[in-house]
């Protein structure tokens, strides 16, 4: 990681998306494509709060990891952390978000 600006901007973008998802739940992928009948069975307040919370956490951790690794001179570790942490966290989010879908 030569330039820490890109991960810092990405983290900020993810945080902003997280904040917007609560106000505009149609930004949630999958929810916006559901038929109206199925949308009625989704706890959108709970799901949008869940998405907001975890998108802010992901963005904050991106910023935190970038800052810590930049200050300690271990920028090479960023790609490893990103390749392991982000997919695991996102998969966990997708699985946990299913509890707000009552269409089963």
């Amino acid at each position: 990681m030569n330039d820490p600006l890109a991960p810092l901007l990405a983290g900020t973008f993810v945080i902003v998306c997280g904040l917007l998802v609560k106000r505009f739940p149609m930004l949630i992928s999958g929810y916006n494509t559901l038929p109206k009948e199925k949308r009625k069975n989704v706890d959108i307040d709970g799901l949008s709060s869940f998405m907001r919370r975890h998108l802010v956490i992901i963005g904050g951790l991106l910023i935190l990891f970038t800052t810590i690794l930049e200050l300690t001179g271990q920028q090479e570790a960023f790609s490893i952390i990103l390749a392991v942490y982000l997919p695991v966290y996102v998969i966990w989010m997708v699985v946990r978000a299913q509890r707000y879908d009552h269409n089963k």
Side-chain angles (χ1 to χ4, degrees), residues 36-51:
K36 289 186 188 227
E37 302 81 40
K38 288 192 174 189
R39 278 190 209 159
K40 292 177 186 175
N41 294 325
V42 175
D43 175 11
I44 194 59
D45 287 333
L47 179 60
S48 61
S49 293
F50 174 82
M51 295 298 292

Side-chain angles (χ1 to χ4, degrees), residues 21-22 24-26 28 30-31 34-53 96-104:
V21 122
K22 181 64 180 174
F24 305 103
M26 292 302 283
I28 299 172
Y31 177 74
L34 282 176
K36 289 186 188 227
E37 302 81 40
K38 288 192 174 189
R39 278 190 209 159
K40 292 177 186 175
N41 294 325
V42 175
D43 175 11
I44 194 59
D45 287 333
L47 179 60
S48 61
S49 293
F50 174 82
M51 295 298 292
R52 177 188 58 198
R53 181 173 42 253
R96 290 291 292 184
Q98 297 304 308
R99 65 183 169 175
Y100 299 102
D101 183 4
H102 304 295
N103 284 306
K104 301 168 190 142

Side-chain angles (χ1 to χ4, degrees), residues 33-102:
T33 59
L34 282 176
K36 289 186 188 227
E37 302 81 40
K38 288 192 174 189
R39 278 190 209 159
K40 292 177 186 175
N41 294 325
V42 175
D43 175 11
I44 194 59
D45 287 333
L47 179 60
S48 61
S49 293
F50 174 82
M51 295 298 292
R52 177 188 58 198
R53 181 173 42 253
H54 291 288
L55 287 172
V56 168
I57 289 171
I58 288 172
L61 286 174
L62 279 172
I63 292 170
L64 181 67
F65 287 156
T66 302
T67 304
I68 289 173
L69 293 174
E70 189 67 29
L71 291 174
T72 60
Q74 298 176 355
Q75 298 91 343
E76 310 83 34
F78 185 76
S79 58
I80 296 168
I81 290 173
L82 197 61
V84 172
Y85 140 78
L86 192 59
V88 169
Y89 198 101
V90 169
I91 290 169
W92 176 85
M93 277 180 59
V94 169
V95 170
R96 290 291 292 184
Q98 297 304 308
R99 65 183 169 175
Y100 299 102
D101 183 4
H102 304 295

